[in-house]
Every structure is written in structure tokens, then in C-alpha cells.
Amino acid sequence: MEKNQIIQRYIETVLEHGEPPGSVYRFAKDLDISEREFFGQFASFEALEAGIWRDLTRATIEAISSGEEWTDFSAHHRLLTFYYAYFEKVLDHRSFFLVRFPRPSRQPLQTPPSQLRLMHDEFCDFARRIIATGVDRGELPCRGKVAHTYPGAMFLHFLSAIDFNLRDDSQGFERTDAYIEKSVKLGFDLIGTSALDSAVDLVRFLSGRTWGKDQQPSA
Amino acid sequence: MSSTTPISDTGDQEKITSGKVTRVAALAGAGAQVGVNYLKHYGKRAVGAEPAIDDLHEANASTVYRTFSKLKGGPLKVAQMLSIDKNMLPDAYRQHFAQAQYSAPPLSYPLVVKTFRREFGKGPSEIFDTFSQSAIHGASIGQVHRATKGEHTYAVKVQYPGVADSLNSDLAVVKPIALQILGLKDADVEPYFREVQAKLLEETDYTTELERSIELSQQTQQVSGVRFPSYYPEYSSSRIITMDWIDGLPLDQFVARDPDQPTRDRVGQAIWDFYHHQIHILKLFHADPHPGNFLVDADDQVVVLDFGCTKQIPDDFHRDYFEFLDADLLDDPARFEAALRTLEIVSDEDSERERQVIIENAMRGTELLGRPFHHGSFDFGDESYMAEIYQMGEEHSQNEEMRSMKTARGSAHSIYLNRAYFGLYSLMGLLGARVKTEKPVLDYF
């Protein structure tokens, strides 16, 4: 069975039962495949979900960077475009998000859970490219090594936007749009000053060390 | 006293505040600053300088305006509505709030693209040949982009997201603080807040606005000197309205270029006739007579924009209200009181003293506001007339006896019509126009 088919069946199973299958054994049996076949593709349900979160981020980035207006966009507009496109995609998978997405609001300032590791790496690569674009075009100041902390901070913001969206009960989730619009603007305003550096420093202090190279103190 | 720096620099149109708490904080900040301005005022006086009270209002107005301008949607609209009513606000506040029309913070282009995709399934660059990435100007709940397709140029108005949703909470938060800052009584502004709430909710539905715009502009074709943009339903939706792009000057900029008197008169007459045609014939009118809603084009034609806020009045209300324009009414106190009772301005619940105060003031107000209609034509360039209206408002606002009454008198329809008239008179005053007032009105009756 193909990888994507397994993922598809996994999502369906979760949505219908409101929780992941009790065991890989059970799930494999339902799919009429062997456990070996499942483990050939995924180490665990957690790894399977980690792939889902990453793929959605990756697919969004690919879809927007091929748009014809992309090259003209400033860093600010690129990030906004990512968010708007991402939340359009979330609309198709909202139930799955509500059931399975590890939401940061339940444990603020904690290390993001390991299922989001792949998504984090994917997003941070993208964030670094955005920052590089901004610096190249003079939109953002060049802050040397401090700038290495920005992708991590942007990822935390990304999680906050997802959480906001999942809690949003406005029609057409318009409040999420407003949240993105305002908070991204604030973020870019802050990067323009050193306020963000101080804030990241504080958050990092409060949250302890987190995984990922980006968040290591720059040596 | 040391000089105090303003609460923030001039760039604060750019800084968008979010969340209830921030909004409260922003407004509370303005409240404190108004206090500081008063201290400065008295401080100046203490050292012998005699600052004009206008200076004080001016300093306070720019503080309050800056605060309101940080908030989009509801609060901005309240500011604009208060700005129309000269009776509600000192002149300095009014002028600052009038700017609000032009300076709401912009919506990002990616969000405009998203809105287009959601509404039409296509981005603006797929629908039009060109589309301005940044807004050309702001409206109270949206912003306008310029687009072209082939030879044609369009104005595309895009609504801010979540406006309808945040409206109620915004107003609830803003109201008590606004009252405090502006020194107004709850009862005085309550009808405005209710109106803003209802009308703004209505305005957030661009589909209705589109229908009304098309309908009203068709029914008003015969008024000379006035024209309307064409609207394009195929490029419009509940969040987007597309119309012709029209080059012209907003009314206040037109006046700033100091046009000659005949031109002022012509433009004034066109707006005057436009209003009376709607009020008397259609009984459905453009209830937002703000200078930014009118453009004057290269041929000195008046272009009417933005039918977001319109108001329908019933026939019997129309009859009762316009009875006050009958000059003979003022010589017949019994009939005058009866007319006030019909409009529920005086009721049996009033004490004798209240009754007297109301009738006395209503008499004076009716004479003053009806004056333009009692002559064949009227010169709104007469500054003493506008000053008299303003002064009457000031006196009302300082008259404790009137302020302490259980206000909100008269039917809700009066609010819209009064506002339309205050707005119309202000526009005429701004233009300094001489208009023919009697004939058209008599024709309508």
C-alpha cells in the first residue's frame, strides 16, 4: 500500500473515532496490510502525524513560491502570503487539526512537542529565506548572529496563529485574518528595532533550552 | 511646566493595535493626555499668557483623533459621525475627526488577494490587467484599490476582515471611555451609538450596498449637476465592490483651491437638489453627508460616492417632520406644540417646566434651522449663520436643565434626518454656496 494511502486511511480512522487507532496491529488489520508493511513506512503513529504536519507546510510553501507575483513580494508580504495560503489549506483539514494538532495554548512556553519537529524544520528553512530576502532588499536590518533566533521566534508565532485559528469562531474565520495581519506587522516592526531580540531572549530564558539548532545560544 | 510630548509620534497610523485590552489602553492613554493638555492650558494662563480656548480644543482634538485613528471599524465610524454633528463637538474636534475618512491603516496586499480568491476563486491580477498593490485611499471599513482592464479604470473597494465581528465588542469598550474623553453624557450619544451599531452592521454587507447604489443612482439621474459611477456586479461580492474610477477632488480639497463664487453656487445647488430629491421624492437618502463622499470632477459635476449608509423614512414621519418648515407654524404656539407632540418630542410625562424649556428651545431651533427655507434663496457663505447654529449647540450642551432631561427625544428617524441636514448645512457652509431653497421644496410638497 502506498504511503499516501496509509496516511489517508489514518486520517479517516481518526476522524471517525475521534482518536488514533489503539495499536498499529489493529490499524494494519483494518487496512488489510501487515504490521511490517506499516513499519516499513512509519516508525509510529506519531511519526506519521509528524509527516502530515510537515507536508502541509511544505505543500503551502511550494504552492505560493510558484505564483507569478512572488518574486515582487517583500519579505513581509511573503510571510503573509504563506499564512493566508496555509489557513486556506487548514480549512480542508480542520477537523483533523482540532482532534490531533498539539496546541501550544495548553502548555504555553513549553518546548513544542516532538510531532512538530519536522514541521518546525521545514518552516524555519522558509523563514530563513524570507529573512535573507528582507535583508537583501534592505527591508530588514542585518543583525548578524542575533538573526539566527528569528526563525525560531517566527515558528512560535506560527503556532500561535494556528491556535488562534482553531479557537476562532468568527464567520469565515475572519478574526484569524485580522490576527495574522496585525501580528505579522507587529513582528516586522519589532525586528526593525531591537525589541524582538530582547523578547526572544526573555522567552528563551523562560522556556529553558529547546531543541533545534536555531535556538542554541549563538556561540 | 515642562512641555509634554504627544502620546506617540506622527507615524501611529501605521501601528495597529489589537485586542480589547490594547484598545482600552489606547483610549485610556488619550484620556490621560487630554488631562495633560488641560493642565498645560491652565499652566499657560498661570504664567500670564492667555491661550485661546480653541487652542486647548485643538490640542485635545489631535490627541483624541490619533487614538481613534488607531482603531478601525466601529470607533472610527463613531468619530466620523460625531464629526458631522457640529452640535455634538467643538469645532477643533470636528475637523480632526473629519480627516478619519482618509487615513485608516491599510490592509496588506496578500490579504486582498486572499479575499479575492475567496470571493471570486481568482486573484486580482487574474481578473484585471493591473491592480495597485497598495490602497489608494481608505474608507471606514475598507480600502480602495485602482485597477485597469483594457481601456477602463476601476475603483475596487475591499472590506477589512472581521469588521462585523469585532464591531459590537469594540463599541462596548469604546463607549464609556469616549464619553469620558469627550465630556459627553451617555444619554446624548446613546442614539448615535445605537445608530452606528445598526448602520455599520448594514454597511458590512457590500451586496446590499451595491444594490442600493445602483438603485439610488438610477432614481437620481434627473438631478442636474450630479453624477454617479457605474457599478460592476460581476466584480463585486459581499466583501468587494467595483465601480468606475473617477478623477476628481474631494469637496474639502475642491474648496481649498478657492473656486469662484458661481462655481461654488453650482456645486452647492447640485448637492442641495440631490438631497431634497432623495428626501422628498424617494424618501430614501444618502445618510452620510461627509465631504469625502463627494468628488468634484473636471467639469464641476458632483460625483456621489459610497451609498453604504442610506436611510428610508416613512410617509407619515416625513409629513410630520417637514411641517416644521412652515414659517407660519412659529406664529401659532398651540399648533407648534401639537407638532412637537406628534414627533414625541414633548409628551404628557414632562413637567410643566420641562415642557416650557423644550418648547422654547425647539422654537428657537426651528426658526434657526428652518431659516434657509423661509427665503427664496440662502447664502451659506454667511459665517454668522453657521456660527449661530454652532453657538446654539454649545448653549444646549451647557444648559444643565436640558442636559439633565431624559434625553433621546423624538423618533429614531429624526436622528438620520437631523444628521443629514447638519451634514448638508455643513457642506453648504464649507462651500460658502448660495442656493435656491424655496422653489424645489414647494414643488415637492
Side-chain angles (χ1 to χ4, degrees):
Chain A
M1 186 176 257
E2 294 220 359
K3 203 171 175 175
N4 279 343
Q5 273 178 299
I6 297 177
I7 293 174
Q8 198 50 48
R9 291 292 295 275
Y10 177 80
I11 292 175
E12 282 166 21
T13 308
V14 168
L15 289 180
E16 271 164 28
H17 296 90
E19 56 184 15
S23 66
V24 172
Y25 169 79
R26 181 65 213 261
F27 182 58
K29 198 172 167 192
D30 287 348
L31 259 58
D32 216 11
I33 58 174
S34 66
E35 274 195 69
R36 176 185 290 275
E37 200 178 341
F38 179 88
F39 285 120
Q41 302 280 12
F42 306 100
S44 61
F45 288 144
E46 205 177 74
L48 185 155
E49 289 190 8
I52 295 177
W53 309 130
R54 180 203 50 209
D55 289 350
L56 201 65
T57 301
R58 181 179 286 171
T60 306
I61 295 168
E62 281 169 5
I64 53 173
S65 0
S66 62
E68 54 179 80
E69 288 171 307
W70 182 254
T71 43
D72 299 338
F73 280 175
S74 63
H76 184 175
H77 281 184
R78 286 182 183 197
L79 186 60
L80 285 174
T81 303
F82 169 79
Y83 275 126
Y84 294 132
Y86 185 80
F87 286 107
E88 280 301 303
K89 285 192 187 291
V90 170
L91 283 183
D92 296 330
H93 304 286
R94 191 170 171 84
S95 299
F96 189 70
F97 266 81
L98 286 168
V99 178
R100 293 306 300 160
F101 193 81
R103 292 161 66 175
S105 67
R106 297 186 179 152
Q107 32 173 220
L109 298 185
Q110 296 289 306
T111 305
S114 56
Q115 303 96 292
L116 298 185
R117 176 71 187 266
L118 295 175
M119 172 180 163
H120 165 273
D121 294 349
E122 188 77 31
F123 179 83
C124 287
D125 273 349
F126 173 67
R128 265 188 289 276
R129 292 200 299 275
I130 285 190
I131 291 165
T133 307
V135 172
D136 278 355
R137 300 184 179 188
E139 191 185 346
L140 298 174
C142 184
R143 290 204 185 282
K145 289 193 167 170
V146 185
H148 292 309
T149 61
Y150 292 166
M154 286 161 75
F155 183 69
L156 289 180
H157 173 255
F158 182 29
L159 293 184
S160 81
I162 294 175
D163 188 58
F164 191 99
N165 177 263
L166 296 180
R167 283 185 290 119
D168 190 356
D169 58 1
S170 62
Q171 197 194 353
F173 306 109
E174 286 192 340
R175 284 186 65 80
T176 302
D177 294 346
Y179 175 77
I180 292 168
E181 190 86 355
K182 290 167 200 291
S183 57
V184 169
K185 176 135 179 37
L186 177 67
F188 273 84
D189 285 350
L190 288 176
I191 289 180
T193 68
S194 60
L196 187 68
D197 302 337
S198 314
V200 167
D201 188 47
L202 174 66
V203 169
R204 206 168 42 178
F205 167 74
L206 291 174
S207 59
R209 279 184 55 174
T210 51
W211 39 258
K213 278 186 209 146
D214 300 323
Q215 280 137 342
Q216 300 286 349
S218 39
Chain B
M1 176 176 283
S2 66
S3 78
T4 318
T5 48
I7 41 173
S8 48
D9 56 27
T10 47
D12 41 2
Q13 286 288 350
E14 296 298 313
K15 292 172 194 153
I16 303 171
T17 54
S18 70
K20 257 192 184 181
V21 177
T22 329
R23 289 180 176 229
V24 174
L27 280 163
Q33 184 65 28
V34 170
V36 170
N37 287 338
Y38 271 101
L39 286 178
K40 277 202 288 194
H41 173 71
Y42 290 111
K44 271 194 208 167
R45 211 166 59 175
V47 297
E50 190 60 54
I53 191 86
D54 276 353
D55 287 348
L56 174 65
H57 280 319
E58 177 67 30
N60 283 346
S62 56
T63 303
V64 174
Y65 168 70
R66 271 204 309 274
T67 304
F68 269 105
S69 70
K70 285 191 205 165
L71 309 160
K72 262 189 277 194
L76 183 60
K77 201 71 194 167
V78 174
Q80 283 179 19
M81 288 203 167
L82 291 174
S83 83
I84 282 173
D85 197 335
K86 275 204 168 192
N87 274 357
M88 294 294 285
L89 285 181
D91 209 40
Y93 284 91
R94 200 186 53 79
Q95 283 171 10
H96 274 275
F97 285 154
Q99 302 170 13
Q101 186 86 359
Y102 306 111
S103 41
L107 201 67
S108 75
Y109 182 62
L111 187 49
V112 171
V113 174
K114 175 187 170 148
T115 309
F116 260 81
R117 285 198 196 286
R118 188 181 280 173
E119 303 291 327
F120 303 117
K122 284 191 264 186
S125 59
E126 294 165 83
I127 294 180
F128 298 103
D129 295 343
T130 66
F131 189 89
S132 66
Q133 289 205 1
S134 44
I136 309 296
H137 50 88
S140 58
I141 57 165
Q143 64 188 21
V144 178
H145 291 257
R146 183 185 176 124
T148 60
K149 190 179 172 76
E151 295 287 288
H152 208 93
T153 310
Y154 300 90
V156 184
K157 187 160 81 164
V158 185
Q159 191 175 113
Y160 298 128
V163 163
D165 198 69
S166 61
L167 171 67
N168 291 338
S169 70
D170 281 357
L171 286 182
V173 165
V174 159
K175 195 172 129 183
I177 303 166
L179 293 178
Q180 195 70 44
I181 295 173
L182 302 175
L184 298 171
K185 287 209 171 169
D186 193 2
D188 292 341
V189 288
E190 178 58 28
Y192 285 84
F193 275 86
R194 269 207 308 272
E195 182 198 348
V196 169
Q197 207 154 350
K199 280 286 158 192
L200 196 59
L201 273 178
E202 215 176 286
E203 273 188 58
T204 57
D205 183 2
Y206 277 1
T207 317
T208 315
E209 182 176 337
L210 180 78
E211 285 167 12
R212 287 219 180 118
S213 305
I214 294 175
E215 194 185 310
L216 261 175
S217 48
Q218 277 169 358
Q219 292 171 341
T220 319
Q221 291 295 358
Q222 68 258 50
V223 178
S224 69
V226 178
R227 71 185 184 106
F228 307 88
S230 296
Y231 291 85
Y232 299 89
E234 65 272 35
Y235 306 134
S236 303
S237 76
S238 62
R239 292 284 182 273
I240 295 170
I241 289 190
T242 300
M243 65 188 97
D244 288 331
W245 180 274
I246 294 180
D247 287 314
L249 290 173
L251 215 52
D252 44 0
Q253 289 179 31
F254 167 75
V255 171
R257 295 202 173 183
D258 201 18
D260 61 17
Q261 191 61 41
T263 311
R264 288 169 184 266
D265 294 348
R266 223 168 31 245
V267 168
Q269 189 72 52
I271 296 176
W272 183 270
D273 291 348
F274 167 71
Y275 265 94
H276 288 94
H277 175 78
Q278 293 186 98
I279 291 172
H280 297 305
I281 305 293
L282 308 178
K283 299 196 174 69
L284 174 68
F285 57 95
H286 184 278
D288 200 4
H290 183 284
N293 282 338
F294 298 91
L295 296 181
V296 180
D297 71 10
D299 304 324
D300 295 331
Q301 292 251 312
V302 177
V303 184
V304 185
L305 305 171
D306 199 345
F307 286 94
C309 186
T310 56
K311 171 68 186 165
Q312 179 106 48
I313 44 172
D315 286 347
D316 53 351
F317 171 77
H318 177 269
R319 190 191 58 231
D320 298 340
Y321 187 92
F322 285 98
E323 200 185 344
F324 284 93
L325 287 187
D326 182 352
D328 298 338
L329 189 66
L330 292 168
D331 301 328
D332 187 346
R335 214 182 117 210
F336 187 78
E337 185 176 340
L340 287 177
R341 282 179 187 274
T342 318
L343 283 182
E344 293 164 27
I345 292 169
V346 176
S347 77
D348 291 338
E349 286 169 29
D350 295 322
S351 71
E352 181 55 28
R353 176 71 194 148
E354 280 177 332
R355 200 181 63 92
Q356 270 177 10
V357 172
I358 295 168
I359 293 179
E360 209 171 280
N361 280 288
M363 199 77 122
R364 189 172 154 219
T366 304
E367 190 282 320
L368 186 59
L369 298 175
R371 205 182 291 166
F373 293 94
H374 298 156
H375 309 278
S377 67
F378 194 79
D379 183 2
F380 283 94
D382 177 4
E383 280 172 14
S384 66
Y385 178 69
M386 297 312 286
E388 211 177 322
I389 293 185
Y390 174 50
Q391 197 193 336
M392 184 177 73
E394 283 282 273
E395 282 172 24
H396 279 193
S397 68
Q398 276 153 25
N399 184 332
E400 275 308 314
E401 208 166 11
M402 288 199 59
R403 286 179 70 105
S404 61
M405 288 179 194
K406 325 175 281 278
T407 71
R409 284 167 186 276
S411 98
H413 300 304
S414 317
I415 297 172
Y416 300 93
L417 207 49
N418 288 343
R419 195 179 127 212
Y421 269 105
F422 277 124
L424 182 59
Y425 284 15
S426 306
L427 294 181
M428 293 299 122
L430 177 71
L431 283 165
R434 274 192 296 260
V435 292
K436 293 193 196 64
T437 55
E438 191 180 37
K439 182 130 192 334
V441 178
L442 283 184
D443 278 353
Y444 293 132
F445 278 112

